[in-house]
Amino acid sequence: MRTSSSVLIIGGGPAGVELASDIASVYPEKKVTLVHSGSRLLGFIGRKAGNKALEWLRSKNVDVLLEQSIDLDTISEADGIYMTSAGEAIAADCYYVCVNRPLGSSWLKKSMVLKDSLDIYGQLKVDGHLRVKGRNNIFAIGDIVDVPERKQGMLAQRHAMVVAKNLKQLMKVSNKEIKLSKYRPSISITMVSLGKKDAVAELPFTTMSGFLPGLIKTRELFLRRTRKLLGVDHHSGFL
């Protein structure tokens, strides 16, 4: 990154947008190009949030090419020239791939126990207790579950808290009926960092961008909250 004068980013989801904004903020002299196959950035959230991210990136001289893609199977750094699906040539010293990847659950299709518990998207079908449907003592958490909510680390932490309680309940030796905790999908709040100080946030009833949401997320990237959740002293170095 330090020795490159030009950078290509493939993918306009949260990872691609945050990476492009970070590079533009830290290295304003570098030429940054972002190529995205969709008609707008951050397609997983509202159009307004995607437009605000686009405005911010272009204000920092990031060249954003929408509705174009790059063949990842033939991509090579050999000559530093990358062709888009529209026939546009992009010169870049290095590139980063920030596109969606399928869930890493294909190995479960070979499992005699869980192969029939996957949906068409490769997600595990779970009940309200995050227990794999049809199983009494197998639970799942994180991106792999079919809970109708966005895939976020913060929500995976909430999954873990519910499953931990349920596992403790199941380990108790008791003749009483075991009451398991239920997981309730939350109203999603999404924040995408834009450089060191700004961010765009999609809340249940509005979309915000600029310094205020940036203060919430980019100040410490929720590290203090995560340390507290894990019982780690926030003065004892880095995670």
Side-chain angles (χ1 to χ4, degrees):
M1 176 65 69
R2 290 178 179 174
T3 59
S4 298
S5 60
S6 54
V7 181
L8 168 63
I9 296 171
I10 305 168
V17 168
E18 289 192 340
L19 180 58
S21 67
D22 282 346
I23 297 172
S25 296
V26 178
Y27 302 106
E29 75 283 359
K30 296 185 186 297
K31 171 64 176 176
V32 181
T33 303
L34 187 152
V35 177
H36 182 53
S37 60
S39 60
R40 62 186 180 90
L41 299 177
L42 305 177
F44 73 107
I45 55 178
R47 182 175 297 276
K48 189 175 180 180
N51 289 340
K52 287 181 180 293
L54 178 62
E55 291 173 8
W56 191 97
L57 289 172
R58 286 180 170 166
S59 74
K60 303 298 180 182
N61 298 318
V62 175
D63 190 8
V64 180
L65 305 179
L66 299 175
E67 298 185 89
Q68 296 189 47
S69 60
I70 291 179
D71 187 353
L72 299 180
D73 294 328
T74 60
I75 195 169
S76 171
E77 286 183 318
D79 56 5
I81 301 295
Y82 307 89
M83 298 297 298
T84 74
S85 56
E88 187 167 346
I90 301 171
D93 297 326
C94 66
Y95 70 91
Y96 295 90
V97 178
C98 302
V99 299
N100 284 334
R101 296 293 187 184
L103 285 172
S105 60
S106 59
W107 63 277
L108 287 174
K109 295 178 182 178
K110 301 176 182 179
S111 166
M112 296 299 295
V113 178
L114 296 174
K115 65 179 182 180
D116 296 326
S117 299
L118 294 169
D119 65 12
I120 59 174
Y121 303 106
Q123 302 173 127
L124 279 172
K125 294 176 281 188
V126 296
D127 62 18
H129 311 294
L130 296 179
R131 182 171 49 186
V132 176
K133 288 183 177 179
R135 300 292 168 179
N136 294 324
N137 59 355
I138 301 177
F139 295 82
I141 64 173
D143 290 0
I144 200 171
V145 300
D146 68 342
V147 176
E149 61 185 4
R150 289 177 186 153
K151 308 299 186 183
Q152 296 177 321
M154 175 179 65
L155 298 180
Q157 290 175 336
R158 291 187 56 215
H159 296 173
M161 294 172 69
V162 170
V163 169
K165 290 179 182 178
N166 288 337
L167 289 173
K168 288 179 180 178
Q169 285 292 96
L170 289 176
M171 288 191 300
K172 290 180 179 179
V173 179
S174 174
N175 293 325
K176 298 180 180 179
E177 184 179 352
I178 296 175
K179 186 176 181 180
L180 298 179
S181 298
K182 279 196 170 186
Y183 177 76
R184 293 176 175 79
S186 63
I187 298 175
S188 187
I189 296 175
T190 302
M191 290 191 184
V192 177
S193 299
L194 298 173
K196 293 293 185 181
K197 296 181 179 179
D198 297 328
V200 59
E202 185 175 75
L203 309 176
F205 304 108
T206 188
T207 300
M208 301 171 57
S209 65
F211 175 75
L212 184 57
L215 185 65
I216 297 172
K217 181 173 184 182
T218 62
R219 183 177 182 182
E220 59 176 358
L221 300 177
F222 301 126
L223 285 178
R224 187 178 297 271
R225 177 183 177 279
T226 303
R227 289 176 188 275
K228 183 178 180 180
L229 183 66
L230 298 176
V232 178
D233 182 355
H234 69 272
H235 295 297
S236 60
F238 296 95
L239 285 176

